[in-house]
């Protein structure tokens, strides 16, 4: 166990780099590591239509966001369905890709739903051992994962139980940061620390009966 004084000093000087933020609607990922929501199916067994989403910005803000994206070491892709049924579990396929020529630092990932959800979980593919450290909460799931080697990626599923009384739209937010933290760090602490600097991928699905 590390001394608490040492931990507090490390926290004060912790380096972090927000995962890149999207600047335009794209059919392919940005080569510079921007944040992208892809149009792939949320489930291989589902035939539901999926959508690609990304934020748009003015010329000035786009230039600024592009500069940040260029330095982003990790790209995140999110696949999701246009519509979900209330009372059912909805799946979002999330992929994190290392865009560096070297190994990244540890990765903090946050998935959250503002409302209409009663349970949120992160699941890795069967037989895969990412050594992830994740929370299990009602409307969000937070994870700390080991750094990615050159050319490697993480793929997993974010699953949310939609409330039986839900209606309207289901909004999901996916984002995170690359940071030189310990895998035993409480993900809730990282969300509190990085929250304002995270660029979120926002998904929107219609809720049906």
């Amino acid at each position: 166990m590390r001394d608490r004084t040492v931990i507090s000093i490390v926290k004060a000087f912790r380096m972090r780099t927000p995962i890149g933020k999207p600047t335009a609607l794209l059919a392919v990922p940005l080569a510079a590591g921007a944040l992208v929501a892809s149009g792939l199916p949320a489930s291989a067994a589902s035939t539901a239509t999926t959508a690609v989403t990304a934020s748009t910005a003015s010329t000035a803000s786009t230039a600024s966001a592009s500069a940040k994206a260029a330095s982003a070491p990790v790209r995140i892709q999110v696949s999701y369905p246009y519509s979900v049924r209330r009372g059912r579990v909805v799946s979002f396929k999330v992929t994190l890709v290392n865009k560096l020529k070297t190994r990244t630092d540890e990765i903090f990932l946050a998935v959250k739903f503002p409302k209409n959800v009663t349970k949120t979980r992160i699941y890795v593919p069967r037989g895969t051992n990412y050594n992830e450290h994740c929370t299990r909460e009602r409307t969000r799931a937070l994870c700390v994962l080991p750094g990615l080697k050159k050319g490697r990626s993480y793929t997993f599923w974010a699953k949310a139980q939609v409330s039986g009384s839900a209606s309207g739209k289901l909004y999901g937010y996916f984002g995170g940061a690359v940071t030189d933290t310990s895998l035993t760090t409480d993900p809730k602490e990282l969300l509190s620390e990085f929250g304002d600097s995270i660029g979120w991928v926002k998904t929107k699905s219609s809720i049906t009966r």
Side-chain angles (χ1 to χ4, degrees), residues 15 64 72 100 127 130 169 175:
M15 299 294 292
S64 175
L100 299 179
Y130 291 158
K169 304 293 183 182

Side-chain angles (χ1 to χ4, degrees), residues 12 43 46 51 57 61 76 84 86 93 101 108-110 124 128 130 139 142 144 151 161 169 178 192 201 206:
S43 169
S46 173
S61 61
I76 179 172
V84 299
R86 64 187 186 187
K93 185 179 181 181
K101 295 182 178 180
F108 166 62
L109 175 73
V124 301
T128 301
Y130 291 158
T139 60
L142 312 174
V144 180
Q161 174 73 54
K169 304 293 183 182
V178 175
S192 176
V201 165
S206 298

Side-chain angles (χ1 to χ4, degrees), residues 39-193:
L40 297 177
S43 169
S46 173
T47 57
T49 307
T50 57
V52 178
T53 185
S55 64
T56 57
S58 64
T59 302
S61 61
T62 297
S64 175
S66 296
K68 293 180 180 179
S71 62
V74 172
R75 181 184 69 218
I76 179 172
Q77 297 173 199
V78 181
S79 299
Y80 68 100
Y82 265 128
S83 64
V84 299
R85 298 185 65 179
R86 64 187 186 187
R88 302 291 184 87
V89 174
V90 57
S91 297
F92 299 79
K93 185 179 181 181
V94 182
T95 303
L96 302 174
V97 183
N98 180 9
K99 299 301 295 182
L100 299 179
K101 295 182 178 180
T102 59
R103 181 187 178 92
T104 70
D105 284 328
E106 283 65 36
I107 298 172
F108 166 62
L109 175 73
V111 176
K112 60 182 184 178
F113 302 89
K115 60 179 182 178
N116 293 331
V117 165
T118 60
K119 184 169 61 177
T120 304
R121 300 285 187 270
I122 293 292
Y123 295 93
V124 301
R126 182 174 298 178
T128 301
N129 184 12
Y130 291 158
N131 294 315
E132 72 281 359
H133 175 205
C134 300
T135 65
R136 290 177 167 238
E137 303 176 59
R138 178 183 176 184
T139 60
R140 69 184 185 186
L142 312 174
C143 295
V144 180
L145 301 105
L148 281 167
K149 295 181 180 180
K150 175 184 176 181
R152 302 299 294 272
S153 65
Y154 288 127
T155 297
F156 50 88
W157 299 95
K159 296 190 177 185
Q161 174 73 54
V162 181
S163 170
S165 60
S167 61
K169 304 293 183 182
L170 176 67
Y171 294 95
Y173 295 85
F174 302 79
V178 175
T179 175
D180 61 345
T181 190
S182 167
L183 288 175
T184 60
T185 302
D186 186 349
K188 296 179 183 179
E189 175 188 329
L190 295 177
L191 179 63
S192 176
E193 183 175 344

